[in-house]
Amino acid sequence: MRLNTTLAKPIDRVLTGEHHATVGVPPRESDVKITAALESQCARVATNSFALGRLPQGGELDGARLAAEKLVHAAVPLRDAQRAVHGAIGAVLKRGCAGDEGADGEGAVVDRAVFMMRVLEVVANVVSSAYLDHCRQDSGVVRERSAQLVELVTSGDPEARVVAERSGIELAAEYDVLVVQFVDASEGPDRIGSRKLDDGALSAAVSALTAADIGCVPLLSLAAHGGTILVPAARVDAVEICFAALTSVLGVDIVAATSRAHVGEMDGVLAHCRELVELARCLGMAARLYRTGDLALEYQLSRPGPGRSRLRSVIAPLDAYPELVHTLRTFIGSEANRRASAKSLYVHPNTVDYRLKRIEQLTGVDPLSSAGLMALHAALVVDSLARAHGSGVGARVIAEAS
């Protein structure tokens, strides 16, 4: 029975590494020189196993592992290390089968090919484990590289694809930009508190996001107060899943904002998301995930213009009555429900009625009408933003988000 040459050629291409060269990115010249040592070690192991007719054992693999570790520290992609392994094993197989010709030799070729495939598996596992061990032992370096990649991608730097390739990461065409801030809700809505996380918590957050069931791995840049997460736009609920995973593993309140953008167009989107987070925090809004539509009114009112001064003047008469301002905020937050407002304020519903009537007398705007309540809501937003920026809070929030 003759060896099927149609099958033999693809097997030969896989063993020699030619298959990887056709479907992957060609290795750089500098990386080829560095991987020569690994290829030499793998060839030595394969030659010894071929001669002895058994798989490599124990210390026989130390040289290959040491060479692989050097590639890890030189930031050579795992793909190129695997190419060197395949090339070495394929070359040994070719030399070993060079004299096997004719019908009787074809069976030996197949047997040797199967045996060398097993050798390839053993050696490849050793090389891959060197890369995996490095990732487990040096999570700080991995986080630093991921943060660098986030910065390059969001700034539109063309070097991003080179760095991603060297890290074994394939950039998506489109990402959901997610900006997160860790906050302390215990300080109340009138104070903006930041929550600072330690390295242990951040490492847990990275692990949770990496393991999130979204069909892809997000790019992460997290620091003590928050950071930026780039979620490949692979599924519509990926951002929600990542936010839920982050909230669950950290157990802290998080104010976050998200928007989608193509690679190369993220700079403005990142700034927009940071601004949405600033708005939510300045206004003392609930700690949750926000999109542009959720803060459309607040965002528009934060834009410069003569309307802001007019709205600020509407609420100005209440400056001397903090209990009325608090009642108005609660009434708006309860969607104009008197009883719910009274329950939240620990007062009788009649007290809420009295305060609302007092607000109308001072401002000239009826909070019980839909138009009046909308105007007062807008005025409160403008007033809160003015106070936050006047006290430097807004600038502090932006600094923490950066």
Side-chain angles (χ1 to χ4, degrees):
M1 181 176 179
R2 298 189 60 80
L3 178 65
N4 187 327
T5 55
T6 303
L7 175 63
K9 289 181 179 178
I11 291 178
D12 184 56
R13 287 179 64 208
V14 171
L15 289 171
T16 58
E18 294 175 14
H19 171 72
H20 293 269
T22 58
V23 299
V25 179
R28 297 171 305 168
E29 183 178 349
S30 58
D31 288 349
V32 171
K33 294 179 180 179
I34 296 175
T35 56
L38 174 62
E39 189 166 354
S40 175
Q41 289 293 333
C42 292
R44 181 186 60 78
V45 172
T47 300
N48 186 57
S49 294
F50 193 90
L52 298 176
R54 63 170 175 76
L55 297 177
Q57 302 172 359
E60 297 172 0
L61 295 164
D62 289 347
R65 181 174 182 85
L66 181 60
E69 290 174 349
K70 290 182 178 179
L71 296 188
V72 172
H73 292 292
V76 175
L78 175 59
R79 179 196 63 247
D80 293 342
Q82 291 173 331
R83 180 185 281 112
V85 174
H86 281 255
I89 304 298
V92 172
L93 176 59
K94 279 185 174 182
R95 290 195 300 269
C97 297
D100 293 325
E101 298 178 353
D104 294 337
E106 289 172 359
V109 170
V110 172
D111 290 342
R112 289 171 180 173
V114 171
F115 173 73
M116 292 305 289
M117 290 294 285
R118 295 175 63 193
V119 174
L120 171 63
E121 181 181 6
V122 173
V123 177
N125 284 341
V126 168
V127 173
S128 297
S129 68
Y131 278 77
L132 292 174
D133 288 347
H134 176 73
C135 291
R136 295 191 189 100
Q137 295 170 3
D138 204 351
S139 60
V141 172
V142 174
R143 275 172 45 196
E144 184 178 339
R145 288 180 180 174
S146 181
Q148 177 195 18
L149 188 52
V150 169
E151 182 178 354
L152 292 173
V153 172
T154 53
S155 64
D157 194 320
E159 188 70 13
R161 293 198 177 277
V162 177
V163 173
E165 178 190 328
R166 291 180 63 83
S167 303
I169 297 173
E170 182 178 354
L171 292 183
E174 195 174 31
Y175 285 93
D176 285 311
V177 180
L178 176 61
V179 172
V180 299
Q181 284 288 293
F182 311 131
V183 298
D184 189 352
S186 64
E187 296 195 15
D190 296 329
R191 297 182 62 190
I192 299 176
S194 295
R195 189 69 174 266
K196 185 175 181 179
L197 302 184
D198 57 26
D199 284 341
L202 292 176
S203 294
V206 170
S207 298
L209 289 169
T210 303
D213 184 19
I214 59 174
C216 52
V217 178
L219 302 179
L220 312 171
S221 178
L222 295 177
H225 294 290
T228 304
I229 303 168
L230 301 183
V231 184
R235 49 187 289 182
V236 294
D237 59 346
V239 172
E240 284 75 11
I241 292 174
C242 286
F243 182 76
L246 199 61
T247 302
S248 176
V249 72
L250 293 179
V252 301
D253 293 304
I254 302 174
V255 176
T258 184
S259 188
R260 183 166 294 188
H262 288 280
V263 171
E265 303 174 355
M266 290 191 178
D267 194 20
V269 172
L270 178 60
H272 175 67
C273 289
R274 286 175 172 170
E275 191 169 11
L276 292 181
V277 169
E278 178 197 357
L279 275 173
R281 292 187 59 184
C282 285
L283 297 175
M285 301 179 73
R288 67 179 184 88
L289 175 63
Y290 292 94
R291 297 182 183 274
T292 301
D294 299 323
L295 296 169
L297 173 63
E298 291 81 0
Y299 181 79
Q300 190 59 42
L301 291 173
S302 69
R303 306 298 89 190
R308 292 185 59 179
S309 298
R310 176 69 184 92
L311 285 170
R312 176 67 183 85
S313 66
V314 170
I315 208 75
L318 301 182
D319 286 348
Y321 305 92
E323 77 282 358
L324 295 183
V325 175
H326 184 44
T327 298
L328 180 58
R329 290 184 187 280
T330 304
F331 187 63
I332 293 172
S334 67
E335 298 182 351
N337 187 312
R338 292 170 51 258
R339 293 192 177 278
S341 298
K343 185 176 181 179
S344 296
L345 294 167
Y346 299 101
V347 298
H348 194 277
N350 289 343
T351 302
V352 174
D353 290 338
Y354 169 78
R355 291 179 180 178
L356 293 176
K357 180 59 67 174
R358 184 66 175 145
I359 289 171
E360 180 182 4
Q361 292 172 349
L362 291 170
T363 64
V365 181
D366 181 8
L368 295 178
S369 70
S370 56
L373 188 62
M374 185 179 298
L376 289 170
H377 180 197
L380 278 176
V381 170
V382 170
D383 181 66
S384 296
L385 291 174
R387 292 177 184 277
H389 290 141
S391 64
V393 171
R396 177 160 57 86
V397 171
I398 291 177
E400 291 170 355
S402 301

